[in-house]
Amino acid sequence: MRADERHNMNKKLLDAPTGTYRFCEVIVVVFILLATVHTLLLRQLGGPALTTEDALFLSQTLMGHRAWLTTALGLFYAYCRITAKDCSQLLTVSCVLAWFIFIEDTLALDNVLFVPEMLSGQLTQFSRPFLLVALTYMAVESRRRRSDG
């Protein structure tokens, strides 16, 4: 085996995602599914905190936009992974958005968007810290691999 072939083989091994990275991908996919299901259920059922028509409309619109954004980012990430494109910027932007949305929800919208009686809401809220850690790890790891590359 020649030296350049060995270098290419070693580079492919280094570029392959680690088990931790793939585990984080699974966490992100599970969160996207939970958030989408919760959004659809909340849209159909409403919630006890939504007492006026305007509040119901605004919360459903916000949740709908978030679900579309989350799904679109997830699909774009899947496309980048399948086509072996660099997704470090996408992961960084997604991570920053996830943290901003988390802070916004915690400070201002917790009682509006979280319906404690709904199991989907409980699961989504419970899994969010895992999403934040997973996305942060993925963003840092992809940036590290990009700078090493």
Side-chain angles (χ1 to χ4, degrees):
M1 184 181 282
R2 294 185 327 209
D4 60 336
E5 289 175 354
R6 202 172 343 179
H7 173 72
N8 287 340
M9 183 182 294
N10 288 339
K11 180 151 176 48
K12 285 182 183 178
L13 288 174
L14 288 174
D15 288 342
T18 62
T20 306
Y21 189 90
R22 289 185 191 237
F23 181 69
C24 289
E25 286 180 324
V26 170
I27 291 172
V28 171
V29 168
V30 168
F31 181 83
I32 289 172
L33 292 173
L34 286 171
T36 304
V37 166
H38 178 63
T39 300
L40 293 173
L41 289 175
L42 192 63
R43 201 165 176 81
Q44 289 178 349
L45 302 175
L50 308 174
T51 56
T52 66
E53 287 293 319
D54 290 339
L56 182 63
F57 174 75
L58 289 174
S59 66
Q60 287 179 347
T61 303
L62 178 64
M63 292 294 289
H65 284 59
R66 285 186 181 183
W68 281 110
L69 177 67
T70 304
T71 304
L73 288 172
L75 290 174
F76 188 55
Y77 174 77
Y79 167 77
C80 288
R81 288 281 286 136
I82 290 169
T83 59
K85 295 187 185 300
D86 179 36
C87 56
S88 60
Q89 288 181 328
L90 174 66
L91 285 170
T92 303
V93 168
S94 298
C95 182
V96 170
L97 279 172
W99 276 101
F100 277 130
I101 289 171
F102 171 72
I103 292 168
E104 176 189 45
D105 286 352
T106 302
L107 295 178
L109 300 172
D110 193 40
N111 292 331
V112 174
L113 301 178
F114 177 63
V115 181
E117 293 81 19
M118 295 177 68
L119 180 61
S120 61
Q122 292 171 357
L123 291 173
T124 303
Q125 288 296 91
F126 176 77
S127 63
R128 183 178 270 178
F130 296 105
L131 169 79
L132 294 172
V133 170
L135 266 178
T136 303
Y137 174 81
M138 290 170 67
V140 169
E141 183 68 13
S142 67
R143 295 296 254 187
R144 185 189 62 78
R145 286 174 185 264
R146 181 178 175 195
S147 66
D148 288 349

